[in-house]
């Protein structure tokens, strides 16, 4: 338990205004509104879909293209054995408590976090959560009934379905995009020419049947993930930290969270690795890549940190994990996780499937090694064990590779389905032989940066929300980065005039030909049109007026969103100039 202030998930005035703006201006809104809506599902409107696409494209440019990783697009429904192997059937649970009076289901850990000083109740075992609920006499948030004696239960978050008609095969909507990469590893390694390290990215939908979805698109039942699975040889592959060692970061390691006077640390990636604050160099590398990227898409760096998972909250597959967190309404929300998944996933799929999830590593020179082998006498095993004879062979092979001393006596002991059997060593064909090997099969480890796109979109909007006053009038605007703004430029004819409109149409065509997103608006006075574009975050507006068509040099008024400054620019080269600004190679005040 940390001694920091409790994280009460309350929406402040900014969030309330942002959610209203999002609905009114087409960023996001609850789905199926005509039927009363459904909790945990949201539709991204025209502005939101464009912003989301731009964020995804920026992520792809950074983590796929610039890092030299491949990208795939796997199905969102997968058969049950996949999730049996991955552990999701047994461990992908949240703590549920159901009110005996109104039957409202609530996440027990959220109930504790919202009403006590506990910040990380998710990491507590269920009996301890029940004790905290009783100690603080916590009540149902819906009807106020006491929950002190109500049992807390695990609730699996996966959506179940059937694949095919009739006696169909059970399947699940994927709770993470990662498994679509892991199950295809035997083929993907071929595309990488069996050379480690290599990375595979995917941007796609994932589904979790949240007990109590809330706070608009921060916690939903359907969401988009952008994930990179980076496969490494844990014995020899090391990252080149030189490109990120000077990246300044705010870190909140587990040691500080557990300390009475613990606090965030201001440091650099290089210093954090040297001082052992970040023990995994690959995780450190991707934190260093992610920090400037987050800043480039509009996350406020004064409200951003990397927090290390406490031991009790780490996923079942993670050796270490750091979250990228943003501050919203005084709360820190997770936007991404950077985990070392070790060989957990590939080893599990190798165990449960019939495919090979290793990579053959060629030695510089062939090596002569001793190998313990077995060649059982099947004329003995067959009558003795019947249909279990092959299982006995497998046990003998595994034992020979693991502990050759087990064969030193007259008999060897094996375990078969919980029963112990003694076999004559002479019937096992046990031998130790010298073999010359050109290489070995290794099971790669996985480093995973996993980004929640929806939460990032919300963070970008929240951190961009501004209110000011222009010419005595209150103004609301979104200070979105040009790279991700849904619309880059608005074009307005000053009045409804054929010549002005014709010139505006030509400008729109030229801007679009340059690859810029453009909106055309001729409705209402020019001030109202500016305000509309400010509110959706359009960085620039171009106004075509009578001076445009009357002067020898064709010029237009270009207005910048944040400062509201205006400059008169020539139509010739306007598209190229604005494209240069969007690329970050020119500032408006440099014109």
């Amino acid at each position: 338990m940390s001694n920091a202030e409790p994280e009460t998930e309350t929406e402040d005035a900014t969030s309330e205004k942002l959610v209203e703006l999002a609905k009114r201006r087409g960023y996001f809104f609850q789905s199926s509104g005509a039927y009363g809506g459904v909790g945990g599902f949201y539709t991204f409107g025209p502005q939101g879909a464009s912003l989301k696409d731009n964020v995804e494209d920026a992520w792809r440019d950074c983590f796929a293209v610039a890092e030299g990783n491949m990208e795939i697009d796997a199905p969102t429904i997968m058969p049950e054995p996949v999730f049996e192997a991955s552990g999701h059937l047994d461990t992908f649970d949240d703590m549920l408590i159901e009110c005996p009076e109104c039957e409202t289901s609530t996440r027990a850990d959220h109930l504790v976090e919202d009403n006590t000083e506990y910040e990380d109740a998710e990491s507590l075992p269920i009996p301890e959560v029940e004790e905290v609920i009783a100690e603080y006499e916590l009540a149902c948030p819906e009807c106020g009934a006491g929950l002190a004696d109500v049992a807390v239960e695990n609730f699996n978050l996966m959506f179940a379905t059937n694949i095919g008609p009739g006696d169909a095969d059970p399947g699940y909507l994927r709770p993470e995009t990662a498994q679509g990469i892991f199950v295809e590893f035997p083929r993907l390694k071929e595309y990488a020419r069996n050379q480690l390290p290599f990375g595979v990215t995917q941007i796609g939908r994932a589904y979790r049947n949240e007990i109590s979805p809330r706070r608009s698109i921060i916690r939903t039942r359907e969401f988009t993930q952008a994930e990179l699975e980076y496969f490494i040889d844990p014995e020899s592959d090391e990252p080149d930290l030189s490109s990120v060692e000077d990246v300044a970061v705010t870190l909140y390691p587990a040691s500080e969270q557990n300390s009475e006077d613990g606090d965030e640390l201001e440091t650099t990636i290089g210093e954090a690795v040297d001082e052992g604050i970040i023990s995994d160099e690959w995780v450190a590398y991707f934190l260093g890549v992610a920090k400037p990227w987050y800043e480039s898409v509009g996350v406020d760096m004064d409200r951003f940190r990397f927090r290390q998972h406490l031991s009790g909250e780490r996923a079942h597959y993670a050796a270490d994990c750091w979250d990228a967190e943003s501050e919203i309404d005084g709360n820190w929300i997770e936007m991404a996780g950077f985990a070392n998944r070790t060989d957990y996933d590939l080893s599990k799929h190798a165990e449960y499937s019939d495919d090979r999830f290793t990579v053959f590593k060629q030695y510089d020179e062939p090596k002569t090694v001793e190998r313990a082998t077995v060649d059982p006498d099947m004329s003995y095993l067959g009558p003795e064990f019947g249909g279990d004879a092959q299982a006995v062979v497998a046990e003998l092979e595994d034992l020979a590779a693991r502990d050759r001393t087990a064969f030193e006596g007259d008999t060897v002991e094996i375990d078969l389905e919980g029963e112990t059997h003694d076999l004559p060593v002479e019937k096992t064909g046990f031998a130790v032989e010298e073999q010359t090997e050109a290489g070995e099969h290794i099971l790669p480890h996985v480093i995973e940066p996993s980004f929640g796109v929806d939460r990032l979109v919300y963070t970008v909007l929240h951190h961009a929300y501004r209110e000011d006053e222009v010419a005595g009038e209150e103004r609301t605007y979104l200070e979105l980065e040009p790279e991700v703004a849904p619309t880059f430029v608005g074009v307005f004819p000053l009045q409804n005039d054929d010549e002005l409109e014709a010139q505006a149409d030509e400008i729109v065509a030229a801007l679009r030909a340059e690859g810029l997103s453009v909106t055309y608006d001729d409705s209402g006075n020019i001030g109202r049109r500016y305000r509309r574009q400010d509110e959706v975050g359009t960085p620039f507006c171009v106004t075509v007026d009578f001076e445009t068509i009357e002067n020898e040099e064709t010029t237009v008024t270009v207005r910048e969103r944040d400062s509201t400054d205006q400059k008169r620019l020539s139509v010739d080269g306007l598209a190229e100039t604005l494209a240069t600004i969007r690329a970050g190679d020119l500032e408006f005040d440099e014109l």
Side-chain angles (χ1 to χ4, degrees):
M1 180 182 69
S2 169
N3 290 283
E5 289 298 312
E7 293 187 18
T8 54
E9 292 193 0
T10 57
E11 290 191 344
D12 67 3
T14 299
S15 284
E16 292 176 1
K17 293 176 182 178
L18 178 59
V19 170
E20 189 277 330
L21 182 152
K23 183 187 297 185
R24 177 162 45 83
R25 292 301 185 194
Y27 271 100
F28 58 82
F29 47 88
Q30 192 173 38
S31 299
S32 305
Y35 293 90
V38 57
F41 294 93
Y42 278 80
T43 295
F44 285 89
Q47 300 294 339
S50 181
L51 171 61
K52 184 168 174 283
D53 285 346
N54 290 343
V55 168
E56 291 172 4
D57 287 343
W59 187 91
R60 181 179 287 110
D61 288 343
C62 180
F63 290 91
V65 178
E67 291 293 316
N69 298 316
M70 65 181 85
E71 181 176 1
I72 70 166
D73 185 4
T76 59
I77 295 176
M78 306 179 78
E80 185 176 65
V82 169
F83 301 109
E84 183 180 1
S86 69
H88 283 89
L89 282 179
D90 296 326
T91 62
F92 198 65
D93 304 312
D94 274 344
M95 288 182 274
L96 178 147
I97 187 166
E98 183 175 307
C99 176
E101 299 295 329
C102 68
E103 299 183 350
T104 296
S105 294
T106 304
R107 271 189 64 167
D109 54 322
H110 285 175
L111 183 70
V112 168
E113 291 168 357
D114 290 350
N115 296 281
T116 74
E117 75 274 17
Y118 288 81
E119 285 186 354
D120 55 323
E122 184 179 6
S123 65
L124 301 177
I126 282 180
E128 192 167 339
V129 171
E130 291 175 333
E131 290 175 6
V132 173
I133 291 173
E135 177 186 352
Y136 285 83
E137 298 180 349
L138 300 184
C140 172
E142 188 69 24
C143 72
L147 300 175
D149 298 321
V150 180
V152 175
E153 299 178 350
N154 277 324
F155 173 75
N156 192 279
L157 299 177
M158 287 196 296
F159 283 97
T161 186
N162 290 315
I163 302 173
D167 293 331
D169 293 327
Y172 294 89
L173 277 69
R174 63 186 183 192
E176 60 178 7
T177 63
Q179 296 306 319
I181 296 175
F182 295 140
V183 298
E184 306 304 344
F185 179 82
R187 187 173 298 276
L188 295 172
K189 70 180 181 182
E190 296 178 7
Y191 301 151
R193 302 185 307 281
N194 288 287
Q195 298 296 310
L196 294 173
F198 71 90
V200 183
T201 66
Q202 184 170 200
I203 301 174
R205 298 288 182 136
Y207 306 84
R208 298 179 184 180
N209 195 10
E210 292 283 352
I211 295 169
S212 51
R214 52 183 175 175
R215 302 189 70 197
S216 65
I217 60 173
I218 290 179
R219 186 176 296 280
T220 58
R221 290 179 167 123
E222 179 181 9
F223 53 93
T224 299
Q225 286 183 310
E227 294 192 304
L228 163 62
E229 308 304 330
Y230 201 74
F231 301 97
I232 64 168
D233 180 346
E235 298 297 326
S236 61
D237 290 333
E238 297 180 352
D240 179 5
L241 293 178
S242 62
S243 62
V244 299
E245 62 184 355
D246 294 328
V247 173
V249 287
T250 302
L251 302 179
Y252 195 23
S255 58
E256 292 295 315
Q257 296 173 60
N258 289 323
S259 174
E260 288 290 335
D261 56 352
D263 202 356
E264 297 165 353
L265 307 177
E266 302 295 333
T267 184
T268 66
I269 291 295
E271 291 170 351
V273 171
D274 290 342
E275 296 171 13
I277 300 170
I278 305 176
S279 59
D280 190 300
E281 291 191 5
W282 279 107
V283 170
Y285 173 78
F286 286 113
L287 295 184
V289 172
K291 161 68 186 304
W293 180 81
Y294 272 118
E295 186 172 12
S296 73
V297 297
V299 176
D300 183 354
M301 290 295 102
D302 290 333
R303 303 160 67 186
F304 177 85
R305 71 184 184 187
F306 292 114
R307 184 186 70 84
Q308 186 179 23
H309 279 204
L310 300 173
S311 59
E313 66 177 310
R314 282 200 300 266
H316 58 277
Y317 50 73
D320 191 19
C321 185
W322 290 74
D323 282 348
E325 295 186 330
S326 65
E327 184 272 319
I328 299 290
D329 307 340
N331 306 304
W332 288 98
I333 67 166
E334 173 195 351
M335 294 189 296
F338 298 77
N340 182 338
R341 298 181 72 128
T342 67
D343 62 359
Y344 175 86
D345 300 278
L346 297 188
S347 65
K348 286 296 184 181
H349 288 300
E351 177 186 348
Y352 280 76
S353 72
D354 295 326
D355 217 328
R356 174 170 282 181
F357 286 76
T358 56
V359 170
F360 185 74
K361 181 180 179 180
Q362 190 89 21
Y363 295 143
D364 293 336
E365 295 181 359
K367 296 180 180 180
T368 299
V369 296
E370 286 188 345
R371 295 290 185 206
T373 64
V374 292
D375 183 19
D377 182 353
M378 297 307 293
S379 65
Y380 168 79
L381 293 187
E384 187 73 17
F385 293 97
D388 291 329
Q390 288 300 324
V392 172
V393 173
E395 285 294 317
L396 289 171
E397 290 174 341
D398 180 67
L399 183 60
R402 188 177 71 249
D403 181 17
R404 66 181 65 175
T405 62
F407 294 83
E408 291 179 352
D410 294 331
T411 62
V412 59
E413 183 181 282
I414 66 166
D415 182 83
L416 187 64
E417 296 183 352
E419 292 187 15
T420 300
H421 299 270
D422 290 325
L423 279 70
V425 170
E426 64 180 13
K427 299 296 184 180
T428 67
F430 174 80
V432 177
E433 303 172 350
E434 284 193 349
Q435 298 178 356
T436 300
E437 297 179 347
E440 64 178 322
H441 288 275
I442 65 171
L443 196 62
H445 284 208
V446 179
I447 308 299
E448 178 193 67
S450 174
F451 290 66
V453 175
D454 308 65
R455 289 185 176 189
L456 175 56
V457 166
Y458 188 90
T459 295
V460 167
L461 289 171
H462 196 283
H463 287 190
Y465 186 90
R466 304 284 186 274
E467 292 179 350
D468 65 1
E469 189 174 289
V470 176
E473 293 184 2
E474 293 183 356
R475 176 177 75 133
T476 298
Y477 68 103
L478 295 176
E479 194 176 330
L480 296 172
E481 291 293 327
E483 181 183 8
V484 299
T487 305
F488 183 70
V489 59
V491 177
F492 313 145
L494 184 63
Q495 297 179 11
N496 291 327
D497 177 90
D498 289 345
E499 286 188 81
L500 294 180
E501 291 172 352
Q503 182 66 62
D505 287 340
E506 291 182 14
I507 292 172
V508 168
L511 294 172
R512 287 176 175 162
E514 194 65 28
L516 301 176
S517 55
V518 184
T519 187
Y520 177 92
D521 190 356
D522 61 3
S523 175
N525 67 54
I526 196 68
R528 289 180 180 272
R529 283 182 267 176
Y530 283 151
R531 297 296 180 269
R532 281 197 290 267
Q533 294 308 311
D534 289 345
E535 200 168 41
V536 297
T538 303
F540 296 97
C541 291
V542 172
T543 301
V544 181
D545 54 24
F546 289 106
E547 189 177 341
T548 303
I549 60 177
E550 290 172 354
N551 290 355
E552 182 175 341
E553 181 183 7
T554 305
T555 61
V556 291
T557 298
V558 179
R559 174 186 179 271
E560 196 264 343
R561 175 198 62 210
D562 301 339
S563 65
T564 71
D565 289 345
Q566 300 184 16
K567 296 190 179 186
R568 199 80 191 176
L569 300 180
S570 172
V571 171
D572 292 338
L574 178 65
E576 292 82 357
T577 297
L578 290 176
T580 303
I581 291 175
R582 188 184 188 281
D585 298 327
L586 180 67
E587 297 292 334
F588 182 71
D589 56 14
E590 295 175 347
L591 296 174

